[in-house]
Amino acid sequence: MLDIAEELHRWVEQGRDFAVATVVAVGGSAPRQPGAALAVDSDGTAIGSVSGGCVEGAVYELCQQAIEDGRTVLESFGYSDEDAFAVGLTCGGIIDILVTPVRGGVFPAALAAAVSGEAAALARIVSGPEDLLGQALLVRPDGSYEGGLGGHPELDRTAAGEARAMLDAGRTGTVEIGADGSRCGQPVSLLVESSVPAPRMIVFGAIDFASALVRVGKFLGYHVTVCDARPVFATRLRFPDADEIVVEWPHRYLESTEVDGRTVLCVLTHDAKFDVPLLRTALRLPVAYVGAMGSRRTHEDRNKRLREVGVTELELARLRSPIGLDLGARTPEETALSIGAEIVANRRGGSGVSLTGAHTPIHHDGPREPAGRIGSVA
């Protein structure tokens, strides 16, 4: 639901009645992951998607029914061997979808938090006792919460603790606890949707390739900063799509700015006097990705210089250089696409090989490294 929060927030402000269908569990080769949502208002307007087209029509009708009768329902859709073109997922997967009419409660506050960039987690009961289905809590980073799950008071406290842990990691997913808040007894499954500020992409080097990469970064949902020590190149005119433009020596800026485990650093400066101090700092930070542009000869020379200033082999193993996947890219746009593809593959745990003829999953469960650890960029 948080993926379409901006439009839903407008619906709330306009006083519209609407229902939201959310993917809460998947199996097999399902096209969307838990948290993907489709919303329908009382006029029949629809936004979002739960299946990439496979079951949208059936889910649309369920949303209309939820608006009419005010009931929350859980439905499962899956592949049918008898009739692959019947309502179901012809890709072979199974998805469980929770359909909830939105009429007050904590949903407006959750949408407002998502739109404003405030960190918050929405925890909803997606399986368990029927009378608890769809009940929700909104959990803040400090552990405070509003709303209620309609059961034992300890259930709210336990759910809030689980949701806060997932919020700290910036994760969306399901967790199972007991209906009384314990780890035993009748189980209750919660879908926790974390709303966190956009991850950062910092592009060092105000060159033509950087302009194309800024556009790709914005398309992928990053908050993009361009940094260069040369004021004649680091200008708003050259980078109209960037969120921030910083005129500063790259390593000094990186030492002073805030980064986290979702931040990606793209070094396009292609100049040893910038690259070496910048990468020495970058490779010691807990960021998701560090990539540097340059030929293989440049890469070897840069590695030699980095070793001379004390960068270890383990730290060097984190560096993606030459930056990007092998697409045969030549133009700035093609190169930016190859860099963006490598960032996505690193984030999702993809191999980067062609799916044609490969025996790899189409959809990966997550990154190569567990949540909360530095992503593998070896």
Side-chain angles (χ1 to χ4, degrees):
M1 186 179 72
L2 301 181
D3 289 340
I4 52 176
E6 189 169 342
E7 183 63 25
L8 295 186
H9 183 59
R10 280 195 287 268
W11 287 8
V12 169
E13 291 183 323
Q14 293 165 3
R16 298 196 206 183
D17 287 333
F18 62 95
V20 177
T22 307
V23 177
V24 298
V26 302
S29 184
R32 303 298 306 277
Q33 294 301 301
L38 168 72
V40 179
D41 74 357
S42 55
D43 293 330
T45 301
I47 57 172
S49 172
V50 291
S51 71
C54 300
V55 300
E56 309 295 291
V59 174
Y60 180 89
E61 293 178 1
L62 287 172
C63 286
Q64 289 185 311
Q65 184 63 41
I67 295 171
E68 183 177 330
D69 61 26
R71 293 182 60 246
T72 295
V73 297
L74 181 67
E75 291 285 344
S76 182
F77 295 89
Y79 178 79
S80 169
D81 290 322
E82 291 76 21
D83 185 0
F85 296 100
V87 172
L89 294 171
T90 56
C91 58
I94 299 172
I95 56 175
D96 292 338
I97 294 178
L98 184 73
V99 182
T100 306
V102 177
R103 293 171 179 170
V106 298
F107 290 97
L111 295 171
V115 169
S116 66
E118 176 187 354
L122 180 66
R124 288 186 280 168
I125 295 179
V126 297
S127 72
E130 187 174 350
D131 61 327
L132 300 184
L133 198 63
Q135 297 295 316
L137 282 177
L138 182 64
V139 182
R140 309 287 182 178
D142 63 1
S144 62
Y145 59 89
E146 56 186 284
L149 300 180
H152 195 283
E154 189 61 30
L155 174 60
D156 289 351
R157 288 191 287 271
T158 302
E162 295 286 350
R164 182 185 180 187
M166 295 186 73
L167 177 61
D168 288 343
R171 294 180 55 225
T172 288
T174 55
V175 61
E176 190 169 284
I177 57 179
D180 60 357
S182 68
R183 289 293 180 181
C184 57
Q186 187 176 6
V188 165
S189 291
L190 298 173
L191 173 67
V192 179
E193 297 176 85
S194 294
S195 170
V196 292
R200 295 192 69 188
M201 172 185 282
I202 309 178
V203 181
F204 297 97
I207 62 176
D208 52 352
F209 288 88
S211 180
L213 183 56
V214 167
R215 296 194 296 273
V216 167
K218 292 299 296 179
F219 177 76
L220 292 176
Y222 286 92
H223 179 95
V224 183
T225 300
V226 175
C227 176
D228 197 296
R230 302 164 298 178
V232 68
F233 294 115
T235 66
R236 177 58 62 186
L237 182 63
R238 285 168 54 82
F239 298 96
D241 299 306
D243 294 292
E244 296 176 290
I245 299 172
V246 176
V247 179
E248 177 61 278
W249 275 76
H251 71 284
R252 292 175 183 166
Y253 175 67
L254 186 57
E255 289 169 351
S256 63
T257 194
E258 185 174 334
V259 299
D260 60 26
R262 300 182 302 149
T263 302
V264 300
L265 306 177
C266 301
V267 180
L268 312 186
T269 44
H270 207 257
D271 185 328
K273 69 176 178 289
F274 295 123
D275 289 0
V276 172
L278 172 58
L279 288 172
R280 180 176 58 183
T281 299
L283 293 172
R284 293 170 178 171
L285 293 174
V287 295
Y289 174 93
V290 182
M293 178 175 279
S295 66
R296 296 192 186 282
R297 179 178 295 179
T298 298
H299 170 69
E300 292 302 324
D301 178 70
R302 185 164 49 211
N303 278 4
K304 177 184 176 182
R305 293 172 183 267
L306 287 169
R307 290 186 183 98
E308 290 172 351
V309 296
V311 177
T312 68
E313 295 302 317
L314 186 60
E315 290 166 344
L316 279 177
R318 299 186 59 214
L319 178 60
R320 295 284 195 170
S321 177
I323 196 170
L325 297 185
D326 180 13
L327 304 183
R330 287 189 176 275
T331 68
E333 290 73 20
E334 291 172 347
T335 302
L337 179 62
S338 78
I339 297 170
E342 183 172 61
I343 290 170
V344 172
N346 182 74
R347 178 181 178 184
R348 299 299 186 189
S351 65
V353 303
S354 174
L355 291 173
T356 303
H359 300 287
T360 57
I362 295 176
H363 305 290
H364 293 260
D365 292 333
R368 295 186 182 95
E369 293 292 324
R373 294 179 58 188
I374 297 173
S376 170
V377 290

